[in-house]
Amino acid sequence: MSGGTSTMITDLLTRETLLSDVSCDSWQELVDVAGAPLVEAGSVTPEFLASIKETVERYGSYMVVVDDIALFHGRPEAGAERIALSLALLEHPVYLNDARITAAFVLAATDNDSHIDLMRELATGLGDEHLLELLRTNGSPDEILATFTRMEHTHEES
C-alpha cells in the first residue's frame, strides 16, 4: 500500500463495530463479545477469536497495552479474512490476571505488514488523554469516533 491508501481506524471503527454499555463476566467473554461484529461481517472466523484466547492464556496479560485498555489480536492464519477492528466499552471492568480492562479492541490483520499504520495510529490514540478517558469510562461512541477522526485529520496535515 502506498501513501494515502492505508486503512485508517475510522475506516474500520463504525457504529456497527463500536459496542458500548457492554456487560461481560470475564475477559474470555469480552473477546467473544468484542469480536462478534467482526465474525458477523465475515472479517474473521470464530476460530480467530479462539486463537486470541489461547494466546492470552499462554502468554498472559501483555494484550492489556495501557492501563484498562486491551488490544486483542491474533495471527493472520488463525482466521483473519480481512483487516478489521472492533471496540467494546464495558459498563463494569473485567480482569485478566491482575490487569483491569474497561475497553477492548479486537484487531485482525491478514499479514504482518498491512496493519502497521493502523497500529501506529492506535498507539497515537492511546497517548491521547481525552480518548483514554472516554475508553475508561464507557464514553460516548460518537465522541470516540470523532476523536479518532480529529486525530486522523491532524495527522494528515502534519
Side-chain angles (χ1 to χ4, degrees), residues 20-78:
S20 60
D21 306 317
V22 170
S23 185
C24 293
D25 295 325
S26 66
W27 68 265
Q28 293 93 332
E29 187 184 349
L30 177 56
V31 171
D32 288 332
V33 171
L38 304 184
V39 174
E40 285 165 23
S43 301
V44 304
T45 63
E47 291 73 26
F48 182 79
L49 300 181
S51 82
I52 291 174
K53 288 184 262 189
E54 283 164 26
T55 303
V56 172
E57 277 159 11
R58 185 173 304 144
Y59 298 109
S61 52
Y62 79 98
M63 290 192 194
V64 182
V65 288
V66 296
D67 288 349
D68 302 331
I69 318 295
L71 175 58
F72 292 120
H73 52 282
R75 295 183 318 285
E77 66 275 12

Side-chain angles (χ1 to χ4, degrees), residues 56-130:
V56 172
E57 277 159 11
R58 185 173 304 144
Y59 298 109
S61 52
Y62 79 98
M63 290 192 194
V64 182
V65 288
V66 296
D67 288 349
D68 302 331
I69 318 295
L71 175 58
F72 292 120
H73 52 282
R75 295 183 318 285
E77 66 275 12
E81 304 297 329
R82 67 179 78 94
I83 191 162
L85 183 71
S86 62
L87 169 60
L89 306 169
L90 296 174
E91 281 185 30
H92 307 287
V94 295
Y95 289 83
L96 200 178
N97 300 330
D98 294 333
R100 186 175 74 164
I101 302 171
T102 60
F105 293 91
V106 174
L107 172 68
T110 51
D111 57 50
N112 290 325
D113 303 319
S114 62
H115 64 296
I116 289 175
D117 289 339
L118 199 63
M119 291 293 287
R120 198 174 295 129
E121 189 187 346
L122 212 44
T124 302
L126 295 177
D128 181 280
E129 284 304 318
H130 176 65

